[in-house]
Amino acid sequence: FLFLHLTPAVMSLNGSTDEEKLDSLSNCTYKNQAVWFLNAFWNSFAEKEAENIWTFVHHCNDLDLQDHEAGNHLDEMMAHRFLELIHSTLTVREMREGLRAVGITKVKAVPLVNFLIFKYKVDWHKLVNAAQGDNQEEVEQAQKMLNDVMKALEEVKETASAAAKAEVEAINAENAAKRAKAELEEALKALHAEEEAYNKKKSELERKSQEGGVVSRNKAANELAQLLAEDPLPLRRAKITQEAAVKKAEKTAKAAEQATAAAKD
């Protein structure tokens, strides 16, 4: 991205001392703190760091849960989170000690400008007294570029959120399919057991009808006749239906598993 000078909401800082001017700058929004900083050091190094600095603004807006874009400083917990997001090994305590070493005493809260001063090792006296540009054409072009960057960052967030949601839905569908398959397999197992019991009883009665005394053979023959008179069709039909359902559940579970893998990719 190419960034040009931006005009902040204020063209000068309030205060008669540099400390008061730094307080005034720290009370500006994260965006205007960044704009002031970029204008102050644009020609020396800030042009090359513009994209990173706008990313810092975006993180601050997100982490300031109370004021968001209208905020101007992070508390200690969110400042730690900010440093984690930009993959910095710096601690808030180390930053405060570094700021105190250059004469900045108000370091309890963490405005973005304090982090920028520490990170880029700039002269904060020069910063608060820096002239700000007023070229309207450049301002409008740079503002458009800033809006494009912020929009792109929002789209990335939305895409990531949608992908995460799709992955969760795919995992839930996969788990539901696996549960349904397990339940069908249990039901089929019960049908197999029922069929096995039927066949076992039939074989036992056939054997008894051929062995032993007349009374016992006749009794077994009667029981066998009653058993054979029963219609085995419902059992067979249930078994066939259940087997088909299990096969269908296996296909569904496999498809759900593939959807989960695709969502993770």
Side-chain angles (χ1 to χ4, degrees):
F1 294 97
L2 173 65
F3 288 87
L4 301 173
H5 290 284
L6 283 168
T7 299
V10 290
M11 291 300 297
S12 62
L13 299 174
N14 297 325
S16 57
T17 67
D18 287 354
E19 289 79 4
E20 290 175 350
K21 291 177 182 178
L22 182 59
D23 284 344
S24 178
L25 179 56
S26 298
N27 287 325
C28 295
T29 64
Y30 301 112
K31 172 185 169 182
N32 281 330
Q33 291 177 47
V35 168
W36 190 283
F37 186 92
L38 285 169
N39 283 341
F41 300 106
W42 186 261
N43 293 326
S44 56
F45 70 89
E47 181 178 4
K48 296 178 180 179
E49 289 296 314
E51 186 173 349
N52 288 332
I53 290 174
W54 288 127
T55 299
F56 299 156
V57 171
H58 182 76
H59 287 326
C60 288
N61 290 343
D62 285 345
L63 292 170
D64 192 331
L65 301 180
Q66 181 174 342
D67 296 317
H68 298 289
E69 289 82 358
N72 51 47
H73 70 274
L74 300 176
D75 60 26
E76 183 165 350
M77 182 177 71
M78 288 305 178
H80 280 296
R81 179 64 182 138
F82 171 82
L83 294 173
E84 290 175 358
L85 285 174
I86 64 172
H87 307 293
S88 173
T89 58
L90 176 70
T91 66
V92 175
R93 181 177 180 181
E94 290 169 342
M95 181 171 64
R96 284 172 175 163
E97 290 174 351
L99 292 170
R100 290 191 182 101
V102 296
I104 299 176
T105 57
K106 294 183 179 180
V107 293
K108 184 176 181 181
V110 186
L112 177 59
V113 67
N114 279 12
F115 168 74
L116 297 177
I117 291 169
F118 183 87
K119 175 176 175 61
Y120 295 107
K121 309 300 180 188
V122 299
D123 182 345
W124 65 274
H125 297 283
K126 179 180 177 181
L127 170 65
V128 297
N129 290 292
Q132 300 290 297
D134 59 358
N135 186 303
Q136 186 61 33
E137 183 179 352
E138 290 183 342
V139 169
E140 291 176 356
Q141 184 177 356
Q143 184 64 54
K144 181 180 182 301
M145 291 180 177
L146 170 60
N147 292 340
D148 290 343
V149 170
M150 299 301 282
K151 181 180 178 181
L153 288 171
E154 286 298 325
E155 289 175 352
V156 168
K157 282 179 61 181
E158 291 175 2
T159 300
S161 177
K165 183 179 179 182
E167 181 178 349
V168 170
E169 291 176 349
I171 290 173
N172 289 339
E174 180 183 353
N175 291 337
K178 287 180 177 179
R179 286 194 301 270
K181 178 175 175 288
E183 291 172 1
L184 288 170
E185 287 174 342
E186 282 297 315
L188 180 59
K189 184 178 178 182
L191 285 172
H192 279 304
E194 188 177 344
E195 183 181 36
E196 183 180 349
Y198 175 88
N199 291 331
K200 183 177 179 181
K201 185 176 181 181
K202 177 184 173 185
S203 297
E204 182 69 13
L205 290 173
E206 286 175 343
R207 184 186 62 81
K208 288 183 177 181
S209 68
Q210 301 297 324
E211 300 176 356
V214 176
V215 175
S216 61
R217 289 201 309 271
N218 289 339
K219 180 181 179 183
N222 288 333
E223 291 181 3
L224 178 60
Q226 292 176 13
L227 180 65
L228 295 175
E230 294 177 2
D231 184 5
L233 183 59
L235 176 60
R236 293 174 184 170
R237 185 178 295 163
K239 179 186 173 185
I240 293 170
T241 302
Q242 203 70 16
E243 287 174 344
V246 169
K247 289 180 180 179
K248 184 176 180 181
E250 287 175 348
K251 291 181 181 179
T252 303
K254 186 175 181 180
E257 189 175 345
Q258 291 173 345
T260 300
K264 289 181 178 179
D265 291 339

